[in-house]
Amino acid sequence: MSKHVAGPEIERLIQLLARLPGLGPRSARRAALHLIRKREELFGPLTDAMQVAREKIITCKTCGNIDTVSPCTICQDNRRDPSVLIVVETVADLWALERAQALSARYHVLGGTLSPLDGIGPKDLNLASLAARVAVDGVTEVILAVNATVDGQTTAHYITDLLSHLEVKTTRLAHGVPIGGELDYLDEGTLATAMRSRTDF
Ligand SMILES: [Zn+2]
């Protein structure tokens, strides 16, 4: 057993912080010390913010996004293009696309991908309402913004089949050379896909 250097309350704080993604025990100790040092301006407000967030966070019944209101802020935003629906695996992916500000549309969060090996089937994902949303809401394009993994592509094919009876275009994200990417450093799969999906200059 490791030797404790602080009282049980502080040890518990460190242990909990160490469970956060990206924080190991060492970073957790540093974070705990930082919080303790900044008790007034950081620790207090952070505790309050966490408490409020914990009480108010809900899942949007329309799209599966996380917010404090349902329909969520994005679903309620009338300035977004109502004809486009972007399908993502997780809320993290939704946030990433929002940060990129590439398109002002609405989303549908699946909550994962189909994965026969892990026993994750269509019923385990937020798929039931997708076809209904597309049919009712006047959506003309569904963008399958899923990961470029085997499971992601399996899911994309499943959704394409699911929506095939509807008058809607399904598209997927382009796979290719990342911005600032040097060809010599790319893996062969990425390079080959980029070559196949070349576009006019
Ligand atoms: Zn929503």
Side-chain angles (χ1 to χ4, degrees), residues 48 58 63 66 69 72 78 108 120 137-138 163-164 178 181 195:
D48 294 344
I58 48 173
C63 74
I66 284 171
V69 287
C72 70
N78 292 325
H108 196 83
I120 300 172
D137 292 352
L163 303 177
S164 59
M195 187 56 90

Coordinates of all heavy atoms in Angstrom, one line a residue, residues 48 58 63 66 69 72 78 108 120 137-138 163-164 178 181 195:
D48 N -19.5 24.5 -7.2 CA -20.8 25.0 -7.5 C -21.3 24.6 -8.9 O -22.4 24.1 -9.2 CB -20.9 26.5 -7.4 CG -20.7 26.9 -5.9 OD1 -20.8 26.1 -5.0 OD2 -20.5 28.1 -5.7
I58 N -29.5 16.8 -18.9 CA -30.4 15.8 -19.4 C -30.0 15.5 -20.9 O -29.3 16.2 -21.5 CB -31.9 16.3 -19.4 CG1 -32.1 17.7 -19.9 CG2 -32.5 16.2 -18.0 CD1 -33.5 18.1 -20.1
C63 N -32.6 14.5 -30.2 CA -31.4 14.2 -31.0 C -30.4 13.3 -30.2 O -29.4 12.8 -30.7 CB -30.7 15.4 -31.5 SG -29.9 16.4 -30.2
I66 N -26.5 16.2 -25.2 CA -26.5 16.5 -23.7 C -26.7 18.0 -23.5 O -26.0 18.8 -24.2 CB -25.3 16.0 -23.0 CG1 -25.3 14.5 -22.9 CG2 -25.1 16.7 -21.7 CD1 -24.0 13.9 -22.4
V69 N -31.7 21.6 -21.3 CA -33.0 21.7 -21.8 C -33.3 20.6 -22.9 O -32.3 20.1 -23.6 CB -33.3 23.1 -22.4 CG1 -33.5 24.1 -21.4 CG2 -32.3 23.5 -23.5
C72 N -32.8 20.2 -27.1 CA -31.6 20.9 -26.7 C -31.5 22.3 -27.4 O -32.2 22.6 -28.3 CB -30.4 20.0 -27.0 SG -30.1 19.8 -28.7
N78 N -33.3 28.0 -34.6 CA -34.0 28.1 -35.9 C -33.2 28.6 -37.1 O -33.6 28.6 -38.2 CB -35.2 29.1 -35.8 CG -36.3 28.5 -34.9 OD1 -36.5 27.2 -34.9 ND2 -37.0 29.3 -34.1
H108 N -27.9 14.1 -35.0 CA -28.5 12.9 -34.4 C -27.4 12.1 -33.7 O -26.5 11.6 -34.4 CB -29.3 12.1 -35.4 CG -30.2 11.1 -34.8 ND1 -31.5 11.5 -34.4 CD2 -30.1 9.8 -34.5 CE1 -32.1 10.4 -33.9 NE2 -31.3 9.4 -33.9
I120 N -23.2 -5.2 -29.7 CA -23.9 -4.0 -29.7 C -24.7 -3.9 -31.0 O -24.1 -3.9 -32.1 CB -23.0 -2.7 -29.6 CG1 -22.3 -2.7 -28.3 CG2 -23.9 -1.4 -29.8 CD1 -21.2 -1.7 -28.2
D137 N -39.4 15.7 -40.6 CA -38.8 17.0 -40.5 C -38.3 17.6 -41.8 O -37.6 18.6 -41.8 CB -37.6 17.0 -39.5 CG -38.1 16.7 -38.0 OD1 -39.4 16.7 -37.9 OD2 -37.3 16.5 -37.1
G138 N -38.6 17.0 -42.9 CA -38.2 17.6 -44.2 C -36.7 17.6 -44.4 O -36.2 18.5 -45.0
L163 N -32.5 4.1 -44.3 CA -33.1 5.3 -44.8 C -33.4 5.1 -46.3 O -33.9 6.0 -47.0 CB -32.3 6.5 -44.6 CG -31.9 6.8 -43.2 CD1 -31.0 8.0 -43.1 CD2 -33.1 7.1 -42.3
S164 N -33.1 3.9 -46.9 CA -33.2 3.8 -48.3 C -34.6 4.0 -48.9 O -34.7 4.3 -50.1 CB -32.6 2.4 -48.8 OG -33.4 1.4 -48.1
P178 N -4.9 15.0 -44.2 CA -5.3 16.1 -43.2 C -4.6 17.4 -43.6 O -3.6 17.4 -44.2 CB -4.8 15.5 -41.9 CG -3.7 14.5 -42.2 CD -4.0 14.0 -43.6
G181 N -0.9 18.0 -43.5 CA -0.3 16.7 -43.5 C 0.7 16.5 -44.5 O 0.6 17.0 -45.7
M195 N -6.2 9.2 -52.6 CA -5.9 9.1 -54.0 C -7.2 8.8 -54.8 O -7.6 9.4 -55.8 CB -4.9 8.1 -54.3 CG -4.4 8.1 -55.8 SD -3.8 9.7 -56.3 CE -2.1 9.6 -55.9

